[in-house]
């Protein structure tokens, strides 16, 4: 079974993890339409659905009360990065994108920034990829479970550690690639038999041997240009 079920530290995430795996017996990624809230009734408050809008851009379509309590407001329609401290926004966007693009499962240990009336709070964020109605991986099933008191909201999360677990799927369409993002399949691969990339190096000129006899003529021309030399002995000099 998965690490969630082995540790037992986050029972709500374990429930969602087991349900997600139960929805892919044939190895295909589950679709958003396959989810039935009754299947994870004990963990609904900890769950959310995120939609991919563009490369690295997501919004929360649905969110449980746990996320609302953490922020002290309704988070539906907001970006998931709003749950995190500002300097973690780029990392969170990249992790959400990786779950869709690879596809993969994300497990991230998180903690909340502390301050006045904001006690210690730590937890785990998990993401599971989902297909949309067209078969693309543009939906995410997420879960957030934490231990500790919220204190005064909002609480900004920070990433302590994370792990992406690659998935072997029977068939899946990756998230559509935006025009500003290079498709990994289009990156040229340099093989041993292929050309080498020069980068900033100057182009090299291929070596071609000189015609037969050209070397001898060049040496003769060089000697004639210099002229004749005479060896002078010290004994020949007058005292």
């Amino acid at each position: 079974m998965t690490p969630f079920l082995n540790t037992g530290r986050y029972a709500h995430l374990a429930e969602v993890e087991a349900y997600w795996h139960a929805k892919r017996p044939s190895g295909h990624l589950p679709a958003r339409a396959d989810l039935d809230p009754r299947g994870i009734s004990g963990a609904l408050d900890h769950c959310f659905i995120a939609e991919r809008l563009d490369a690295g851009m997501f919004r929360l379509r649905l969110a449980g009360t746990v996320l609302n309590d953490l922020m002290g407001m309704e988070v539906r329609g907001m970006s998931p990065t709003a749950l995190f401290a500002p300097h973690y926004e780029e990392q969170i966007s990249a992790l959400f994108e990786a779950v869709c693009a690879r596809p993969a499962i994300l497990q991230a240990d998180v903690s909340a920034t502390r301050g006045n009336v904001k006690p210690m709070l730590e937890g785990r964020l998990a993401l599971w990829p989902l297909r949309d109605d067209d078969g693309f991986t543009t939906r995410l099933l997420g879960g957030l479970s934490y231990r500790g008191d919220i204190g005064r909201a909002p609480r900004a999360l920070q990433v302590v550690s994370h792990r992406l677990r690659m998935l072997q799927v029977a068939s899946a369409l990756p998230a559509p690639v935006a025009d500003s993002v290079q498709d990994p399949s289009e990156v040229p691969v340099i093989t041993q038999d292929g050309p080498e990339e020069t980068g900033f190096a100057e182009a090299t000129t291929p070596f071609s041997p000189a015609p037969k006899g050209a070397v001898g003529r060049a040496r003769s021309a060089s000697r004639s240009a210099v002229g004749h030399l005479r060896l002078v002995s010290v004994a020949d000099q007058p005292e």
Side-chain angles (χ1 to χ4, degrees), residues 89-101:
E89 292 182 0
E90 184 175 350
Q91 181 183 13
I92 290 300
S93 296
L95 290 175
F96 272 64
E97 181 69 21
V99 173
C100 285

Side-chain angles (χ1 to χ4, degrees), residues 80-160:
T81 58
L83 301 171
F84 291 81
H87 52 282
Y88 289 96
E89 292 182 0
E90 184 175 350
Q91 181 183 13
I92 290 300
S93 296
L95 290 175
F96 272 64
E97 181 69 21
V99 173
C100 285
R102 296 191 178 186
I105 295 176
L106 171 69
Q107 300 178 28
D109 290 327
V110 298
S111 65
T113 55
R114 302 179 64 178
N116 187 27
V117 201
K118 294 184 178 183
M120 183 180 69
L121 186 148
E122 61 180 11
R124 175 169 290 178
L125 170 74
L127 294 176
W128 299 271
L130 298 171
R131 292 180 290 113
D132 58 21
D133 294 337
D134 296 323
F136 290 98
T137 313
T138 60
R139 301 292 189 273
L140 295 174
L141 171 62
L144 176 65
S145 183
Y146 58 82
R147 298 175 297 173
D149 297 327
I150 293 180
R152 179 181 296 173
R155 298 297 301 274
L157 299 177
Q158 51 193 0
V159 179
V160 178

